[in-house]
Amino acid sequence: MNPTKIDAIYALVGGAITQKVDGEIVFHDGQTPPTEEAIQAKLSELQADYDSKKYQRDRKLEYPSIQELVVALYDEEDKQAIIEKRNAVKAKYPKPE
């Protein structure tokens, strides 16, 4: 899920914060609210990090399930099939350089 403004604020100040229905941010641990400029800069940084990991999210959707991996522990043919499936997914969604 794309990072939100509340994610950026939390990354900047930490501690307990909540957002009211009307959008107001409440700081529960006495944090100093960050400037809008700092929030937008952090949001851009978080978005860039999120975008750079798209290949990880794509791979996760196609990797073998936990059940398939458990079966492969006991069956050599299944194990080879799992290895081939993982390699195909990695080739389809290569890690950016």
Side-chain angles (χ1 to χ4, degrees):
M1 191 175 206
N2 283 325
T4 63
K5 185 174 181 176
I6 194 86
D7 296 325
I9 293 169
Y10 182 77
L12 289 166
V13 300
I17 58 175
T18 54
Q19 185 172 18
K20 292 183 177 180
V21 175
D22 65 3
E24 178 187 357
I25 306 295
V26 180
F27 299 89
H28 300 282
D29 293 332
Q31 306 97 315
T32 301
T35 64
E36 186 62 29
E37 183 179 280
I39 293 169
Q40 291 305 315
K42 179 55 83 172
L43 188 56
S44 293
E45 179 185 320
L46 293 174
Q47 186 66 50
D49 182 60
Y50 177 83
D51 292 343
S52 74
K53 295 178 180 169
K54 182 180 183 320
Y55 79 97
Q56 291 175 346
R57 295 186 302 279
D58 291 341
R59 284 180 179 185
K60 187 175 182 179
L61 296 172
E62 295 189 35
Y63 270 158
S65 69
I66 297 296
Q67 184 177 4
E68 290 173 306
L69 294 172
V70 169
V71 169
L73 288 172
Y74 297 100
D75 188 327
E76 206 54 42
E77 288 177 20
D78 286 336
K79 183 177 180 180
Q80 188 56 41
I82 293 292
I83 291 169
E84 291 170 10
K85 185 174 183 178
R86 283 188 75 240
N87 288 340
V89 171
K90 283 184 171 189
K92 185 176 180 181
Y93 303 109
K95 187 175 186 177
E97 307 221 8

